[in-house]
Amino acid sequence: MGTAQQNQIVEGDQVNIAGDASIGQIGDIFNVGDIAGSYNAIGNGAQVIINQIEQALSAVDEMEKGVQSAEIRLARAIQNKIESYTRLPAKISSEEKRNPYRSLLSYRIEDAPFFYGRGEAIDAILARLDRNQLTILQADSGSGKTSLLQAGLAARLLAAKHLPLYVRPYTESPSVAIKRAFLPDYRTLDELARFRDEKMSLSGFLRRVTSYLGSRRLFIFLDQFEEFFGDVPFDRQLFATELQQCVNDNQLDVRWILSLREEYFAKLRLFDAVRPFENWYFLDTFRIEEAREVITQPALKKGVMYEEGLADRIIADIAQGGKTLVPVQVQLVCSTLYDEKIEQEQDDGNVISAEMYARERGVGERKAPGAEGILRSHLARTLQQQMSVTERQLAWRVLRTLVTSQKKRAKRNRQAIQSELQSIDTWTGDQDSELDSVLLILENTRLISTDENDHDGLRYELAHDYLIDEIEIDPRIEARKLAREMLENDLLVYQRNLPEKEILISEERLIFIEQFFEPQALLPEENKLISISRNEINEAKREERERLEREIATQRQLVWRTRTILFIFVAIAIALSFNPIRNEVLRQKAVTMSTLSLVKGGSIENREVSNAQYRLCVEAGRCTVPNSELYASESQDFEKESVYGVNALQASAYCRWLGRQLPTNEQWLSAREIEAVEQIEGGISEWTRTYSNSTKDDVRLWDGDPETLSFVDFLIVRGSSELDSADRISVNGRSDKVVFGIRCLRNDLGG
């Protein structure tokens, strides 16, 4: 091999573009339900890639010695990534007793033979992957995006001898997560230094990966991409630039899917350079015919059938008059029925009967027959059936550690879970083994899922956002959670920036954190950061104090002016320090003043937001005063009445401050149908986040962001004297002269 060609391979500048048949033609590469055939197809595809890498490794022998070691590590890492899939045929015997439904868990590659109902979506997305390097997959929460990516797409691509890479960045930049997916310790091991971010770009790294694949393509799935726009501390614009470089690299043929919830779709304008809005697919919930297939076929593969007409009855109960069904609800009902059928010896053979389905399930007063009973108290019912009283008490506490202060799922390792439990209650040695037992039961009952990496070890997470609504968190604990998350976030920033630059906790945040935690309740590295930050703050104050004293000594004629300035400085510092605490207290007060009712996709407030509730948001500095002459009233009756004179931006700002959002038109109507919406005296029309541009048929959802309001022509409002009436209100990008009231919705489901 010549020196020039060798240098090209070393730097990752050479790759063979896939020359196989169109991606869109591989959708039928195996038949769903054919377990042996599917596993053999996946295993054969994985083995072809492994063999290709072995052949490509011959070129490594001619590289420089320092580069050779790193390249071998990368090639072996790619092989290890898919090696387990070559052993899938050996798992067939163990599949016989396994529940074919996934309950709250997502379908994985090895679950592909049981992944029914998404044939149309799979074909449509494969066609989009074929025509463009970037595809956007958007859907409502609970529509099954993760299952589609893994069991629907990744399994077929692997069977077609391509390499799918599933990544959920969560707390780090996607570019770092992609590199760590192959080489978890590339940032710390000296022998892998050439792959570090400052030495090799993401596009250069992917050229190295694809150089070992020959004519096979690399597909990267970035799942739950809405987390990219959250509070994680990394440079978002930097990744947007890196993605643009990858897409525009003529020597790199990598296909990307960004999967995110629908309400975050507009935020993709950050990636305008790669035209994200040109090639997208919306994954809807199950249609009736898809749901029927999902219900009946997995059980049939295990020799279990549903009594005639029962599948349609289940569909009717879950859909409640609608035309679609939420996948997670279908999975919960079918998984529960299948488990009960296997556990109980009954005279009806291998048939799930209507009598079995109709029996009451639930806990206490929440018992109900059929799908309603299964869905209403799934978490509480499972804990009661599987655990003792003491285990249930600990289980509830563990589950609360897996929910953030913003009512989202958190990923935590065992040490972080125990640390949070210790910060609330005393902890004994006996509880260590009890915690392990509870975590195992929660995992076995599919209430939590696990994954593992070299950085955090084994991490635990709620199986689905669907569970969050059943996990009640006291406001005091919620504030403590906020402090915990602030500390974890600051520790992450601190660790990522050392040794180049120390980024410490600000005094404002430190005051809030210190009021909740004693040193013995924190991890050593957390105590270290708090100590360093406190010392830095005290040292800065000492230096400032000495500076002021020197000025006073040399300029005594300015002593009173200096004291005044110092007083103002301290007063402002104190006010700023306690501002987050005051905001949290006011927000919790507003939360306790509302009651909720469950509707599709969340829980809606039973009553319109009152003047008293809205004033709390104004006091917190998060809302502006509405356009109402009566708002200044101090009467007791006025406090109880609906706030009005609120424009669309003010309504959205209040709901977001509360940790909620405006309901969609569909959710508002759903609440009305079950009589969950009631008016109070002075009731008025209410904003929704459903909008249409030019025609009533073109209906979309506004994400509540002021920057995206310019896309909206008409917002739908509901209420007035006729609760069922609807108006389309023209906002012309402003909405400052249109006045209505508010009702918020808590989003209970995730992606």
Side-chain angles (χ1 to χ4, degrees), residues 469 595-606 660-661 663 667 671 744-749:
D469 191 46
T595 57
L596 302 171
S597 289
L598 189 64
V599 296
K600 180 179 179 182
S603 299
I604 196 168
E605 294 177 349
N606 292 335
R660 300 171 182 174
Q661 61 188 3
Q667 288 164 336
C744 302
L745 176 116
R746 186 179 70 193
N747 187 356
D748 296 332
L749 300 177

Side-chain angles (χ1 to χ4, degrees), residues 643-663:
V643 64
Y644 74 97
V646 180
N647 63 36
L649 291 177
Q650 290 171 322
S652 176
Y654 174 85
C655 290
R656 293 170 77 176
W657 174 69
L658 214 60
R660 300 171 182 174
Q661 61 188 3
L662 291 173

Side-chain angles (χ1 to χ4, degrees), residues 439-622:
L439 287 171
L440 182 60
I441 295 174
L442 291 174
E443 183 179 358
N444 289 339
T445 53
R446 290 174 284 186
L447 294 174
I448 62 175
S449 60
T450 60
D451 67 13
E452 189 168 9
N453 61 35
D454 290 352
H455 180 66
D456 297 317
L458 190 65
R459 299 184 299 178
Y460 300 89
E461 181 183 30
L462 289 179
H464 199 278
D465 288 342
Y466 190 85
L467 295 174
I468 293 177
D469 191 46
E470 287 194 54
I471 302 174
E472 297 181 357
I473 301 178
D474 181 86
R476 179 181 63 87
I477 302 300
E478 192 170 316
R480 182 186 291 272
K481 278 183 170 293
L482 177 60
R484 160 66 65 185
E485 291 157 16
M486 291 169 63
L487 177 57
E488 290 175 348
N489 187 69
D490 288 340
L491 180 63
L492 189 63
V493 174
Y494 175 74
Q495 292 173 334
R496 286 181 178 174
N497 285 276
L498 283 178
E500 293 85 356
K501 180 182 179 182
E502 289 190 349
I503 299 180
L504 305 178
I505 307 174
S506 67
E507 183 176 12
E508 173 184 314
R509 293 166 70 91
L510 190 58
I511 290 175
F512 184 65
I513 291 169
E514 285 179 327
Q515 68 172 319
F516 289 104
F517 301 111
E518 296 295 331
Q520 60 270 23
L522 297 174
L523 300 175
E525 55 267 31
E526 293 171 338
N527 276 318
K528 178 182 177 182
L529 176 58
I530 287 177
S531 177
I532 294 174
S533 300
R534 175 52 66 193
N535 290 339
E536 184 76 15
I537 292 169
N538 290 340
E539 179 64 21
K541 287 184 175 181
R542 185 188 64 79
E543 292 177 357
E544 177 66 12
R545 187 166 54 250
E546 290 179 353
R547 184 187 67 80
L548 290 173
E549 289 175 353
R550 287 194 300 270
E551 288 186 2
I552 291 172
T554 56
Q555 300 180 6
R556 291 187 177 278
Q557 68 275 24
L558 301 176
V559 63
W560 290 108
R561 183 185 303 174
T562 303
R563 287 179 179 176
T564 301
I565 294 173
L566 181 60
F567 175 82
I568 294 173
F569 174 83
V570 173
I572 292 174
I574 293 174
L576 290 175
S577 298
F578 284 90
N579 184 52
I581 303 172
R582 172 178 170 77
N583 175 69
E584 183 60 24
V585 170
L586 293 172
R587 192 181 72 83
Q588 289 298 333
K589 186 176 180 181
V591 168
T592 59
M593 293 171 70
S594 64
T595 57
L596 302 171
S597 289
L598 189 64
V599 296
K600 180 179 179 182
S603 299
I604 196 168
E605 294 177 349
N606 292 335
R607 299 160 68 89
E608 294 169 345
V609 174
S610 67
N611 287 298
Q613 289 172 287
Y614 190 86
R615 279 185 172 178
L616 294 173
C617 184
V618 174
E619 289 179 32
R622 303 302 175 89

Side-chain angles (χ1 to χ4, degrees), residues 1-13:
M1 180 183 297
T3 303
Q5 186 178 1
Q6 176 181 334
N7 289 338
Q8 283 184 323
I9 291 180
V10 170
E11 297 306 319
D13 291 332

